Amino acid sequence: MRTRSALAELAGELRTVDQADWAAVSGRFTEWACRDELRDELRHHLRTLSGEVAAAVISRSRETTTHFAWCLLNQPGDKFSFWLHEYKPQRDWRIGYADSIHNHRYHFCTTILRGSYVHERFDAEMDTNGLVIKSATMVHSGVCETGEAGTMFSEQFHRIPKAADGTMTFLVKSRPVRGWSLSFDPATSVSRRHVPVEERLGHLADRL
């Protein structure tokens, strides 16, 4: 029950924070994530999931080119969700979104539970409509280690080109604050706009 109480504690506190002030969310998350027992609590939580709850976690989760994204908690009334990212061994990474310079549709806070990764941040030059990345310049690159926490806002661009085998992270994500994300391939200078499938349904019939 320790882990459920820990997750419930964070969820309860975030419900009292103005979600428009993600800096405040970040501060509360960072305080919570530094607890020494966090990994033990999450391990206990996973080992004691009931069949119904485990099935719900599986249905909400997904595989990406670099990691498995496990959605531990996603209450419809909340303005956030909790995730566990299980990075694949580097040899199993596939070329895709994570290899590009990209942003996200949401804000998020994260902490590294085990392992490490290389994290790069970029400034992106946009077209006048904000729909195309014309160029990207690296402004920071460094190795993030176990226990470190950080925040990314939806307008910021980054890339994780490498992670140690066995790396796992815990995240809290906001609800989407924009309808799409952007990626940029520095090798080809190709910019792409990514619209999630759920945003496309309303226009699907018009495409038939």
Coordinates of all heavy atoms in Angstrom, one line a residue, residues 3-45:
T3 N 3.2 2.3 -2.1 CA 3.3 3.0 -3.4 C 2.0 3.6 -3.8 O 1.9 4.8 -4.3 CB 3.7 1.9 -4.5 OG1 4.9 1.4 -4.1 CG2 3.9 2.6 -5.8
R4 N 0.9 3.0 -3.5 CA -0.4 3.6 -3.9 C -0.6 4.9 -3.1 O -1.1 5.8 -3.6 CB -1.6 2.6 -3.6 CG -1.5 1.3 -4.4 CD -2.7 0.5 -4.3 NE -2.6 -0.7 -5.1 CZ -3.6 -1.4 -5.6 NH1 -4.8 -1.0 -5.4 NH2 -3.4 -2.5 -6.2
S5 N -0.2 4.9 -1.8 CA -0.3 6.1 -1.1 C 0.6 7.2 -1.6 O 0.3 8.3 -1.6 CB 0.1 5.8 0.4 OG -0.8 4.9 1.0
A6 N 1.8 6.7 -2.1 CA 2.8 7.7 -2.6 C 2.2 8.4 -3.9 O 2.3 9.6 -4.1 CB 4.1 7.0 -2.9
L7 N 1.7 7.5 -4.8 CA 1.1 8.1 -6.0 C -0.1 8.9 -5.7 O -0.4 10.0 -6.3 CB 0.7 6.9 -7.0 CG 1.9 6.2 -7.6 CD1 1.4 5.0 -8.5 CD2 2.8 7.1 -8.3
A8 N -0.9 8.4 -4.8 CA -2.1 9.2 -4.4 C -1.8 10.5 -3.8 O -2.4 11.5 -4.0 CB -3.0 8.4 -3.5
E9 N -0.7 10.5 -3.0 CA -0.2 11.7 -2.4 C 0.2 12.8 -3.5 O -0.2 13.9 -3.4 CB 1.0 11.4 -1.6 CG 1.7 12.7 -1.0 CD 3.1 12.4 -0.4 OE1 3.3 11.2 0.0 OE2 4.0 13.3 -0.5
L10 N 1.0 12.3 -4.5 CA 1.4 13.3 -5.5 C 0.2 13.7 -6.3 O 0.0 14.9 -6.6 CB 2.4 12.6 -6.5 CG 2.9 13.5 -7.6 CD1 3.5 14.7 -7.1 CD2 3.8 12.7 -8.5
A11 N -0.7 12.8 -6.7 CA -1.9 13.1 -7.5 C -2.8 14.1 -6.7 O -3.3 15.1 -7.3 CB -2.7 11.9 -7.8
G12 N -2.9 13.9 -5.4 CA -3.7 14.8 -4.6 C -3.2 16.2 -4.5 O -3.9 17.2 -4.6
E13 N -1.8 16.3 -4.4 CA -1.2 17.6 -4.3 C -1.3 18.3 -5.7 O -1.5 19.5 -5.7 CB 0.2 17.4 -3.8 CG 0.3 17.0 -2.4 CD 1.7 17.2 -1.8 OE1 2.5 17.9 -2.4 OE2 2.0 16.6 -0.7
L14 N -1.1 17.6 -6.8 CA -1.1 18.2 -8.1 C -2.5 18.7 -8.4 O -2.7 19.7 -9.1 CB -0.7 17.2 -9.2 CG 0.8 16.8 -9.1 CD1 1.1 15.9 -10.3 CD2 1.7 18.0 -9.1
R15 N -3.5 18.1 -7.8 CA -4.9 18.6 -8.1 C -5.2 19.9 -7.4 O -6.1 20.6 -7.8 CB -5.9 17.5 -7.5 CG -5.9 16.2 -8.3 CD -7.0 15.2 -7.8 NE -6.9 14.0 -8.5 CZ -6.5 12.8 -7.9 NH1 -6.3 12.8 -6.6 NH2 -6.5 11.7 -8.7
T16 N -4.3 20.3 -6.5 CA -4.5 21.6 -5.8 C -3.6 22.7 -6.5 O -3.7 23.8 -6.1 CB -4.1 21.5 -4.3 OG1 -2.7 21.3 -4.2 CG2 -4.9 20.4 -3.7
V17 N -2.8 22.3 -7.4 CA -1.9 23.2 -8.1 C -2.5 23.7 -9.4 O -3.2 23.0 -10.1 CB -0.5 22.5 -8.4 CG1 0.4 23.5 -9.2 CG2 0.2 22.1 -7.1
D18 N -2.3 25.0 -9.7 CA -2.8 25.6 -10.9 C -2.0 24.9 -12.1 O -0.8 25.1 -12.2 CB -2.6 27.1 -10.9 CG -3.1 27.7 -12.2 OD1 -3.6 27.0 -13.1 OD2 -2.9 28.9 -12.4
Q19 N -2.7 24.1 -12.9 CA -2.1 23.4 -13.9 C -1.5 24.3 -15.1 O -0.7 23.9 -15.9 CB -3.0 22.3 -14.5 CG -3.4 21.2 -13.5 CD -2.2 20.3 -13.1 OE1 -1.5 19.8 -13.9 NE2 -2.0 20.2 -11.8
A20 N -2.0 25.5 -15.1 CA -1.5 26.5 -16.1 C -0.1 26.9 -15.6 O 0.6 27.5 -16.4 CB -2.5 27.6 -16.2
D21 N 0.2 26.8 -14.4 CA 1.5 27.1 -13.8 C 2.3 25.9 -13.7 O 2.5 25.3 -12.6 CB 1.3 27.8 -12.5 CG 2.6 28.3 -11.9 OD1 3.7 28.2 -12.6 OD2 2.6 28.8 -10.7
W22 N 2.9 25.4 -14.8 CA 3.6 24.1 -14.8 C 4.9 24.3 -14.0 O 5.4 23.3 -13.6 CB 3.8 23.6 -16.2 CG 4.1 22.2 -16.3 CD1 5.3 21.6 -16.5 CD2 3.2 21.1 -16.0 NE1 5.2 20.2 -16.4 CE2 3.9 19.9 -16.1 CE3 1.8 21.0 -15.7 CZ2 3.4 18.6 -15.9 CZ3 1.3 19.8 -15.5 CH2 2.0 18.6 -15.6
A23 N 5.4 25.5 -13.9 CA 6.6 25.6 -13.0 C 6.3 25.2 -11.6 O 7.1 24.6 -10.9 CB 7.1 27.1 -13.1
A24 N 5.1 25.5 -11.1 CA 4.7 25.1 -9.8 C 4.5 23.6 -9.7 O 4.9 23.0 -8.7 CB 3.4 25.8 -9.4
V25 N 4.0 23.0 -10.8 CA 3.9 21.6 -10.8 C 5.3 21.0 -10.8 O 5.5 20.0 -10.0 CB 3.1 21.1 -12.1 CG1 3.2 19.6 -12.3 CG2 1.7 21.6 -12.1
S26 N 6.2 21.5 -11.5 CA 7.6 21.0 -11.5 C 8.2 21.1 -10.2 O 8.9 20.1 -9.7 CB 8.4 21.9 -12.5 OG 9.7 21.5 -12.5
G27 N 8.0 22.2 -9.4 CA 8.6 22.3 -8.1 C 8.0 21.2 -7.2 O 8.8 20.6 -6.4
R28 N 6.7 21.0 -7.2 CA 6.1 20.0 -6.3 C 6.6 18.6 -6.7 O 6.9 17.7 -5.9 CB 4.6 20.1 -6.4 CG 3.9 19.1 -5.5 CD 4.3 19.4 -4.0 NE 4.1 18.2 -3.1 CZ 5.0 17.4 -2.7 NH1 6.3 17.6 -3.1 NH2 4.7 16.4 -1.9
F29 N 6.7 18.3 -8.1 CA 7.1 17.0 -8.5 C 8.6 16.7 -8.1 O 8.9 15.6 -7.6 CB 7.0 16.9 -10.0 CG 7.6 15.7 -10.6 CD1 6.9 14.5 -10.7 CD2 8.9 15.6 -11.1 CE1 7.4 13.3 -11.2 CE2 9.5 14.5 -11.6 CZ 8.7 13.3 -11.7
T30 N 9.4 17.7 -8.2 CA 10.9 17.6 -7.9 C 11.0 17.2 -6.4 O 11.8 16.4 -6.0 CB 11.7 18.8 -8.2 OG1 11.5 19.1 -9.6 CG2 13.1 18.7 -7.9
E31 N 10.2 17.9 -5.5 CA 10.3 17.6 -4.1 C 9.8 16.1 -3.8 O 10.5 15.4 -3.0 CB 9.4 18.5 -3.3 CG 9.8 20.0 -3.3 CD 8.9 20.9 -2.6 OE1 7.9 20.3 -1.9 OE2 9.0 22.1 -2.6
W32 N 8.8 15.7 -4.5 CA 8.3 14.4 -4.3 C 9.2 13.3 -4.9 O 9.4 12.3 -4.3 CB 6.9 14.3 -5.0 CG 6.2 13.0 -4.9 CD1 5.4 12.5 -3.9 CD2 6.3 11.9 -5.8 NE1 4.9 11.3 -4.2 CE2 5.5 10.8 -5.4 CE3 7.0 11.7 -7.0 CZ2 5.3 9.6 -6.0 CZ3 6.9 10.5 -7.7 CH2 6.0 9.5 -7.2
A33 N 9.8 13.6 -6.0 CA 10.6 12.6 -6.7 C 12.0 12.3 -6.0 O 12.6 11.3 -6.3 CB 10.9 13.0 -8.1
C34 N 12.4 13.2 -5.1 CA 13.7 13.0 -4.5 C 13.6 12.0 -3.3 O 14.6 11.7 -2.7 CB 14.3 14.3 -4.0 SG 13.4 15.0 -2.6
R35 N 12.5 11.4 -3.0 CA 12.3 10.5 -1.9 C 13.2 9.3 -2.2 O 13.1 8.7 -3.3 CB 10.8 10.1 -1.7 CG 10.2 9.6 -2.9 CD 8.7 9.8 -2.9 NE 8.0 9.2 -1.8 CZ 6.9 9.7 -1.2 NH1 6.3 10.7 -1.7 NH2 6.4 9.1 -0.2
D36 N 13.9 8.8 -1.2 CA 14.8 7.7 -1.3 C 14.1 6.4 -1.6 O 14.7 5.5 -2.3 CB 15.7 7.5 0.0 CG 16.6 8.7 0.2 OD1 17.0 9.3 -0.8 OD2 17.0 8.9 1.4
E37 N 12.9 6.3 -1.2 CA 12.1 5.0 -1.3 C 11.3 4.9 -2.6 O 10.5 4.0 -2.7 CB 11.2 4.8 -0.1 CG 10.1 5.8 0.1 CD 10.5 7.1 0.8 OE1 11.7 7.4 0.9 OE2 9.6 7.8 1.3
L38 N 11.5 5.9 -3.5 CA 10.6 5.9 -4.6 C 10.6 4.6 -5.5 O 9.6 4.1 -5.9 CB 10.9 7.1 -5.5 CG 10.0 7.3 -6.8 CD1 8.6 7.4 -6.4 CD2 10.5 8.6 -7.5
R39 N 11.8 4.1 -5.8 CA 11.9 2.9 -6.6 C 11.2 1.7 -5.9 O 10.5 0.9 -6.5 CB 13.4 2.6 -6.9 CG 13.9 3.4 -8.0 CD 15.4 3.0 -8.3 NE 15.6 1.6 -8.6 CZ 16.8 1.1 -8.8 NH1 17.9 1.8 -8.6 NH2 16.8 -0.2 -9.2
D40 N 11.4 1.6 -4.6 CA 10.8 0.5 -3.8 C 9.3 0.7 -3.9 O 8.6 -0.3 -4.0 CB 11.3 0.5 -2.4 CG 12.7 0.1 -2.2 OD1 13.2 -0.6 -3.1 OD2 13.3 0.5 -1.2
E41 N 8.8 1.9 -3.8 CA 7.3 2.1 -3.8 C 6.8 1.7 -5.2 O 5.7 1.1 -5.2 CB 7.0 3.6 -3.4 CG 7.4 3.9 -2.0 CD 7.2 5.4 -1.7 OE1 7.3 6.2 -2.6 OE2 7.0 5.7 -0.5
L42 N 7.4 2.1 -6.2 CA 6.9 1.8 -7.5 C 7.0 0.3 -7.8 O 6.1 -0.2 -8.4 CB 7.7 2.6 -8.6 CG 7.5 4.1 -8.6 CD1 8.5 4.8 -9.5 CD2 6.0 4.5 -9.0
R43 N 8.1 -0.3 -7.4 CA 8.2 -1.7 -7.5 C 7.1 -2.5 -6.8 O 6.5 -3.4 -7.4 CB 9.6 -2.2 -7.0 CG 9.9 -3.6 -7.3 CD 11.3 -4.0 -6.7 NE 12.3 -3.3 -7.2 CZ 13.1 -2.4 -6.6 NH1 12.8 -2.1 -5.3 NH2 14.1 -1.8 -7.2
H44 N 6.8 -2.1 -5.6 CA 5.7 -2.7 -4.9 C 4.3 -2.4 -5.6 O 3.5 -3.3 -5.6 CB 5.6 -2.1 -3.4 CG 4.5 -2.6 -2.6 ND1 4.5 -3.8 -2.0 CD2 3.3 -2.0 -2.3 CE1 3.3 -4.0 -1.4 NE2 2.6 -2.9 -1.5
H45 N 4.2 -1.3 -6.1 CA 2.9 -0.9 -6.8 C 2.7 -1.9 -8.0 O 1.6 -2.4 -8.2 CB 3.0 0.5 -7.3 CG 1.8 0.9 -8.1 ND1 0.5 1.0 -7.6 CD2 1.7 1.3 -9.4 CE1 -0.3 1.4 -8.6 NE2 0.4 1.5 -9.7

